[in-house]
Amino acid sequence: TPRRTAVAAVINRISSPQTIEFVDVPAQEYYSANVFTKSVMKDRLPKSVFKSLIRTIDSGEKLDPEIADVVASAIKDWAMEKGATHYAHVFYPLTGATAEKHDSFLSPTSDGGTLSEFSGKQLCQGEPDGSSFPSGGIRVTSQARGYTIWDVTSPAYILENPNGTTLCIPTAFVSWTGEALDKKTPVLRSMQALNKQAQRILNIFGHEDGAFVASTAGPEQEYFLVDRNFYYARPDLLNAGRTLFGAKPPKGQEFDDHYFGAIPERVLAFMCEAERELFKLGIPVKTRHNEVAPGQFEVAPVFESANVAADHQQLMMLTLRKTAEKYGMACLMHEKPFAGVNGSGKHVNWSLGSSSQGNLLDPGDTPHDNAQFLVFCAAIIRAVYKHQGLLRAVVASAGNDHRLGANEAPPAIISIFLGDQLTDVFEQIKAGGANSSLPSGTLEVGVDVLPPLPKDAGDRNRTSPFAFTGNRFEFRAVGSNQSISGPLVAMNTIIADSVDYCATKLEEAIAKNPDGLNGAIQTLLSEIITECSPIIFNGDGYSEEWHKEAEKRGLLNLKTTADALPQLATPETIEMFAKYGVLSERELESRLETYQEQYCMTVSVEASLALSIARTLIFPAAIRYQNELASTCANLKAVGYDFDTDTLDSMTALVKALQEGIATLEHAINDVSATTPDDECRHCCDAILPSMLALRETVDKLEEVVADDIWPLPTYQEMLFIK
Ligand code: ADP
Ligand code: MG
């Protein structure tokens, strides 16, 4: 069987390990070596050009088109010195993947030679033939023109390959009418919106330097590693990224012996090399460790400005996948590659800050700083409460549906964990409310200092989808395979909206009474917390009681992608995104359409795969074994033995169930009565997925009875434990 061959190959590899090339160079020497960093810019650009560029990067000022040619020529020289022959505009289509189109620097000359060229125009704008990227109807093929536009705020870098290197330029991808066809454009727009509103609060608190307030993101990436021999012997892993069948192994994760355990040698070698590659790209990876499930690991960088963090996250996923191959493994980013053990998420740590004010979610040591912190914090509570449906929708995917709400990941109900101390602070403020005479035990905003809040991020509450962790919020419902851009756009925009709300209230109050800031804040916070406190939950998000309690509180519980995606285009969401110029109604609807289509495609591919595996691998194995049992029975009967047919009977029943399961699934796949995208999603969710699950149950039972030497698929035991 392919399975036996795979096991033999893996064991062979383990007994003669690949020698690992270790490059003994201090990290300082290669860190950012492949990045067109600010310091490279400073060295290579005329002073005035450098200054103008920095203003665009740091303060979001419009790029001066005059400088493009000079910058292009400097980037080209730098890249060619590093061996680059080509440049590529890198963009981020709605598929969530990274796309690139490569062009050579060389142009032929009339005398038969060649000349290297790279103009400002080529740097600033490209025109990939992106007509086959999903655009949700924004672009019909006949007018498929889409442009990539240089994103100055995300540094250009060089991608190495043994046979040549390429200069990569991060770009936004828009249609010829200026509509966003990608995941980057809305991130940039939402960061602008958030900055604008945050400045108003800072002004109210007397910070008028105008330094750009950027949202920051630090994504923790979980992933699985399996040997590539197993990967190739499992058509489901290869094509769907997850196992569609597989009985629970005798030993799962219950021993907790993997979590933070010693990292296996081959895995550590892989991690070291992946980190070295990431360092060269200026990606500040910081932590690595084993995760809870066997074969599961995590990597996390130091946080960066959200836009750069999003680009770096995409590069990180690519690098992990690529490097794993070199070490004979496959890196699985799927949210639930193996049933019965933990899935993988991507915790997106989020905050906002500026070069002059630092992190705005740091509580601070003075009453004044605390008051400002509390206003931002309250705005976030309000944002999450008002837009819980949107937050749920931006983490919805076919893969994440298997993870959210299982016994390992936050539930599909969005709530905020504040921790006891901060909750208590808000409770006190609420008690004080708008009263002029504050009851005793009440915290007075702008006068009292907050009790020290726990600074360590810790794991005090892993069950909350949106947790305050001392100086930032951590959005834990994001799936391991997803681009973080969608979640960032949602957070930036809903928070901009609530910061706008708070700023307006406070500005109005100060206009009436210039000395009344503290009172106005007290009133505002009290109002927000009174209205929005149902979203705060510090208890166990995995528990059954929480589901009941959440329902009582009127919180949304959108269990599946089919339920959640329509939240992307509710009237409130459309209005908000339009108000801040982040996404127009058409852009939002195009996203809804694209993501619904992706969901249906994913489920359909999985269903066809399940069907073909069941038919061409499982069914033959099952009848071979059944036949073996039957001939044993016949032989025994022939020589006059007394025997019972128990095993043959149950095997026959399973084979029958398998045939029925196959028929039911096939029927569900062939049912094309759904006409709208909503109906198609519902059909995937309510008919196809349950039929796949029913089929799986039978197959997994078969795995436990069919003779081991016939069973075709590598087992969970083998994939998760043989390293
Ligand atoms: P834990 O597992 O306890 O959550 P990690 O160290 O694995 O902690 O990850 C914490 C993540 O939070 C890191 O990526 C870190 O850079 C990020 N982070 C810290 N401060 C901020 C901030 N102000 N904004 C965004 N992310 C932050
Ligand atoms: Mg974390």
Side-chain angles (χ1 to χ4, degrees):
T1 57
R3 168 175 160 238
R4 294 245 150 167
T5 321
V7 173
V10 178
I11 289 172
N12 211 356
R13 154 168 225 129
I14 294 172
S15 46
S16 53
Q18 167 188 27
T19 50
I20 290 153
E21 266 181 54
F22 178 67
V23 184
D24 192 12
V25 180
Q28 287 84 343
E29 280 176 32
Y30 54 80
Y31 191 85
S32 276
N34 287 344
V35 187
F36 196 66
T37 58
K38 285 182 187 168
S39 87
V40 177
M41 289 177 196
K42 193 170 179 190
D43 285 350
R44 289 176 175 258
L45 292 172
K47 208 170 185 172
S48 62
V49 173
F50 172 70
K51 279 195 171 153
S52 158
L53 199 57
I54 291 295
R55 275 198 301 276
T56 306
I57 297 172
D58 288 348
S59 325
E61 266 180 38
K62 250 196 158 45
L63 179 74
D64 173 6
E66 304 281 298
I67 67 170
D69 278 328
V70 181
V71 179
S73 149
I75 293 193
K76 185 199 74 180
D77 290 347
W78 169 79
M80 288 186 77
E81 282 166 30
K82 297 204 164 272
T85 51
H86 288 65
Y87 69 94
H89 275 199
V90 174
F91 56 104
Y92 308 91
L94 296 183
T95 54
T98 309
E100 48 193 57
K101 181 192 175 213
H102 296 212
D103 281 292
S104 167
F105 286 127
L106 299 181
S107 322
T109 56
S110 56
D111 58 1
T114 182
L115 191 85
S116 74
E117 269 180 348
F118 189 51
S119 66
K121 186 158 180 293
Q122 286 168 311
L123 166 66
C124 290
Q125 190 173 320
E127 193 184 333
D129 176 24
S131 51
S132 9
F133 289 112
S135 70
I138 284 193
R139 238 173 5 149
V140 285
T141 322
S142 58
Q143 29 164 278
R145 243 181 314 161
Y147 293 103
T148 50
I149 298 169
W150 179 31
D151 171 18
V152 188
T153 60
S154 183
Y157 58 93
I158 281 181
L159 215 50
E160 287 179 327
N161 176 286
N163 289 338
T165 65
T166 307
L167 167 66
C168 295
I169 300 152
T171 60
F173 182 41
V174 296
S175 76
W176 64 284
T177 48
E179 283 166 310
L181 298 171
D182 67 345
K183 297 211 168 231
K184 179 190 272 288
T185 308
V187 172
L188 293 170
R189 291 178 186 161
S190 68
M191 287 180 74
Q192 295 285 350
L194 181 65
N195 169 54
K196 189 168 163 198
Q197 301 308 327
Q199 294 296 344
R200 291 171 60 198
I201 299 288
L202 291 180
N203 284 351
I204 291 169
F205 282 91
H207 306 300
E208 289 171 341
D209 58 67
F212 191 85
V213 174
S215 53
T216 51
E220 302 163 46
Q221 173 77 52
E222 294 177 335
Y223 59 92
F224 278 84
L225 291 172
V226 295
D227 192 281
R228 277 175 78 77
N229 289 293
F230 293 138
Y231 182 70
Y232 282 118
R234 296 268 330 200
D236 47 0
L237 270 189
L238 185 62
N239 292 294
R242 76 174 176 111
T243 54
L244 300 171
F245 304 108
K248 201 173 173 318
K251 183 187 172 205
Q253 64 186 39
E254 34 308 80
F255 289 93
D256 273 338
D257 48 1
H258 187 71
Y259 193 41
F260 281 93
I263 301 174
E265 182 104 349
R266 171 150 65 134
V267 173
L268 188 56
F270 147 81
M271 287 176 169
C272 291
E273 174 150 353
E275 285 171 11
R276 199 161 58 229
E277 291 307 310
L278 292 167
F279 280 163
K280 286 192 212 161
L281 294 167
I283 300 175
V285 271
K286 183 84 177 163
T287 60
R288 59 181 183 216
H289 60 80
N290 286 4
E291 257 300 328
V292 174
Q296 192 187 27
F297 306 92
E298 179 181 303
V299 55
V302 173
F303 70 94
E304 299 176 278
S305 165
N307 174 40
V308 176
D311 289 1
H312 279 172
Q313 226 288 310
Q314 296 292 112
L315 261 176
M316 169 121 99
M317 292 198 282
L318 285 175
T319 306
L320 291 177
R321 289 200 177 102
K322 203 166 70 182
T323 313
E325 275 175 37
K326 272 182 83 172
Y327 288 83
M329 298 182 289
C331 178
L332 309 176
M333 303 265 175
H334 193 282
E335 284 79 11
K336 194 77 176 181
F338 303 99
V341 297
N342 275 11
S344 300
K346 185 139 57 193
H347 296 175
V348 178
N349 293 271
W350 185 98
S351 186
L352 72 176
S354 76
S355 58
S356 63
Q357 298 304 312
N359 181 0
L360 297 176
L361 291 181
D362 243 331
D365 308 318
T366 66
H368 187 76
D369 287 349
N370 287 336
Q372 183 183 298
F373 160 76
L374 288 171
V375 171
F376 280 113
C377 213
I380 293 171
I381 295 168
R382 179 179 180 277
V384 175
Y385 180 61
K386 297 253 173 210
H387 300 282
Q388 39 178 303
L390 175 64
L391 283 178
R392 172 64 186 91
V394 294
V395 298
S397 74
N400 218 12
D401 277 1
H402 299 289
R403 171 180 165 258
L404 292 183
N407 266 330
E408 51 176 72
I413 309 162
I414 300 289
S415 66
I416 293 190
F417 169 84
L418 281 186
D420 293 339
Q421 269 145 313
L422 193 53
T423 305
D424 190 47
V425 166
F426 276 107
E427 283 302 320
Q428 287 182 39
I429 292 169
K430 182 171 148 191
N435 293 351
S436 49
S437 59
L438 298 168
S440 64
T442 300
L443 191 121
E444 207 175 329
V445 175
V447 177
D448 294 333
V449 177
L450 295 186
L453 304 171
K455 286 262 182 208
D456 74 308
D459 283 320
R460 283 158 296 115
N461 191 329
R462 293 203 134 238
T463 68
S464 173
F466 206 92
F468 181 68
T469 52
N471 59 3
R472 61 185 183 271
F473 280 90
E474 183 171 337
F475 190 17
R476 296 186 175 130
V478 184
S480 51
N481 207 14
Q482 292 178 316
S483 155
I484 61 169
S485 296
L488 289 175
V489 170
M491 286 189 274
N492 291 345
T493 313
I494 64 177
I495 292 164
D497 174 58
S498 278
V499 169
D500 177 2
Y501 172 85
C502 294
T504 305
K505 289 264 172 180
L506 296 178
E507 283 162 1
E508 281 168 8
I510 320 173
K512 279 193 208 121
N513 172 11
D515 297 325
L517 178 61
N518 287 339
I521 294 172
Q522 190 104 18
T523 310
L524 174 72
L525 298 185
S526 168
E527 274 170 16
I528 289 181
I529 209 67
T530 305
E531 184 191 356
C532 306
S533 64
I535 201 76
I536 299 170
F537 177 64
N538 294 326
D540 179 3
Y542 296 173
S543 68
E544 198 39 53
E545 296 86 76
W546 170 230
H547 283 247
K548 289 190 200 127
E549 165 72 17
E551 195 180 338
K552 254 194 258 158
R553 293 189 188 185
L555 298 180
L556 292 172
N557 185 0
L558 305 165
K559 293 207 174 80
T560 67
T561 299
D563 302 312
L565 278 182
Q567 296 286 325
L568 282 178
T570 61
E572 306 84 71
T573 305
I574 291 173
E575 194 195 315
M576 176 189 62
F577 276 118
K579 180 171 176 193
Y580 297 100
V582 175
L583 288 166
S584 68
E585 179 167 0
R586 213 159 99 99
E587 287 170 327
L588 263 178
E589 269 161 5
S590 75
R591 276 153 182 79
L592 171 60
E593 197 181 312
T594 304
Y595 301 151
Q596 284 184 322
E597 199 178 287
Q598 269 168 14
Y599 172 72
C600 293
M601 266 182 338
T602 307
V603 175
S604 307
V605 167
E606 288 185 349
S608 312
L609 257 172
L611 202 58
S612 89
I613 294 172
R615 261 198 196 129
T616 62
L617 287 167
I618 308 300
F619 183 71
I623 54 167
R624 266 171 220 156
Y625 184 54
Q626 186 189 29
N627 190 40
E628 213 175 282
L629 291 174
S631 51
T632 306
C633 290
N635 291 344
L636 287 172
K637 195 171 174 192
V639 295
Y641 266 102
D642 238 8
F643 63 95
D644 58 49
T645 55
D646 283 10
T647 314
L648 178 58
D649 292 345
S650 63
M651 192 57 208
T652 304
L654 282 172
V655 170
K656 191 158 178 355
L658 181 65
Q659 285 173 306
E660 282 165 7
I662 289 173
T664 313
L665 178 57
E666 186 166 33
H667 183 76
I669 294 175
N670 290 338
D671 178 350
V672 288
S673 55
T675 49
T676 66
D678 280 358
D679 288 349
E680 278 176 46
C681 289
R682 285 258 66 98
H683 177 65
C684 287
C685 181
D686 303 335
I688 298 185
L689 283 168
S691 319
M692 282 168 63
L693 208 56
L695 180 60
R696 175 179 189 144
E697 271 173 34
T698 307
V699 172
D700 291 357
K701 278 187 199 142
L702 279 165
E703 184 182 329
E704 284 170 342
V705 292
V706 169
D708 186 76
D709 62 339
I710 304 178
W711 193 254
L713 296 173
T715 64
Y716 271 31
Q717 173 82 12
E718 289 155 353
M719 289 184 287
L720 292 171
F721 291 98
I722 307 184
K723 296 196 183 85

